């Protein structure tokens, strides 16, 4: 399942593409819809949850074919869904909510930590092997702490 954030981005791309295909500016579309240009801009930039009714009006004004129309309405409905993180309100923090939103649809999450060594590698033998490797690669180092 794709996250609502990703769906909002996809919807934004679809709406902007449709408007541009028709040769309309955001200002012209806003006049046709009797909505503010800011409302159109927010939808085309994936800022906040979309209003499905407004999306349907946009599709009506742009005279979108039924097959593409249904696909976009489905994306809009899914993009308007709330995630589990929304129940925490502002206590979670905007940045944490954004990560939860993006990660909610992830199939795999990988991390990289340069400073972390897995527990199995933290053995005296492994450390000694690293020291020996350093001695061969940098013989000018004195392992008593001096150069």
């Amino acid at each position: 399942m794709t996250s609502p954030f990703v769906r909002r981005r996809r919807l934004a791309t679809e709406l902007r593409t449709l408007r541009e295909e028709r040769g309309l500016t955001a200002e012209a579309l806003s006049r046709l819809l009797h909505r503010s240009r800011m409302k159109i801009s927010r939808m085309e930039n994936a800022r906040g949850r979309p209003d499905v009714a407004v999306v349907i009006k946009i599709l009506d004004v742009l005279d979108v074919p039924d097959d593409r129309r249904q696909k976009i309405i489905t994306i809009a409905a899914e993009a308007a869904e709330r995630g589990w993180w929304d129940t925490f309100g502002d206590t979670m923090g905007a940045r944490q909510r954004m990560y939860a939103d993006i990660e909610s649809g992830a199939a795999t999450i990988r991390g990289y930590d340069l400073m972390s060594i897995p527990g199995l590698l933290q053995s005296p033998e492994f450390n000694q092997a690293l020291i020996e490797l350093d001695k061969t690669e940098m013989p000018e180092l004195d392992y008593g702490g001096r150069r």
Side-chain angles (χ1 to χ4, degrees):
M1 174 187 238
T2 308
S3 79
F5 174 78
V6 174
R7 291 182 201 137
R8 286 191 301 272
R9 298 290 302 233
R10 185 168 172 212
L11 176 66
T13 301
E14 291 281 346
L15 293 176
R16 187 178 314 107
T17 300
L18 283 169
R19 178 181 56 75
E20 290 172 351
E21 284 174 356
R22 304 309 189 272
L24 291 172
T25 64
E27 183 70 35
L29 180 59
S30 69
R31 281 194 304 268
L32 291 170
L33 293 170
H34 304 289
R35 301 277 179 182
S36 71
R37 187 191 57 74
M38 184 60 81
K39 178 85 169 174
I40 304 302
S41 177
R42 287 181 54 80
M43 290 182 74
E44 289 186 355
N45 290 302
R47 304 278 186 228
R49 287 187 172 66
D51 182 342
V52 179
V54 174
V55 172
I56 291 171
K57 284 184 179 184
I58 291 171
L59 299 176
D60 288 341
V61 166
L62 298 178
D63 196 31
V64 178
D66 287 338
D67 57 331
R68 193 168 180 192
R69 174 189 181 85
Q70 191 54 48
K71 184 176 90 170
I72 293 171
I73 291 172
T74 301
I75 294 169
E78 291 173 351
E81 290 177 5
R82 294 190 174 276
W84 61 264
W85 52 90
D86 289 318
T87 60
F88 292 96
D90 290 335
T91 60
M92 192 171 183
R95 193 170 177 178
Q96 288 175 310
R97 281 195 315 269
M98 174 63 79
Y99 282 123
D101 195 351
I102 293 169
E103 290 178 352
S104 70
T108 303
I109 298 175
R110 296 188 179 158
Y112 177 77
D113 186 358
L114 183 62
M115 302 305 290
S116 171
I117 299 176
L120 292 175
L121 298 178
Q122 295 178 17
S123 67
E125 294 83 14
F126 179 74
N127 287 326
Q128 188 60 42
L130 288 178
I131 291 170
E132 294 302 321
L133 181 64
D134 280 349
K135 284 181 182 178
T136 60
E137 290 181 352
M138 293 183 272
E140 72 275 3
L141 290 179
D142 174 11
Y143 282 87
R146 296 176 303 274
R147 281 191 168 249

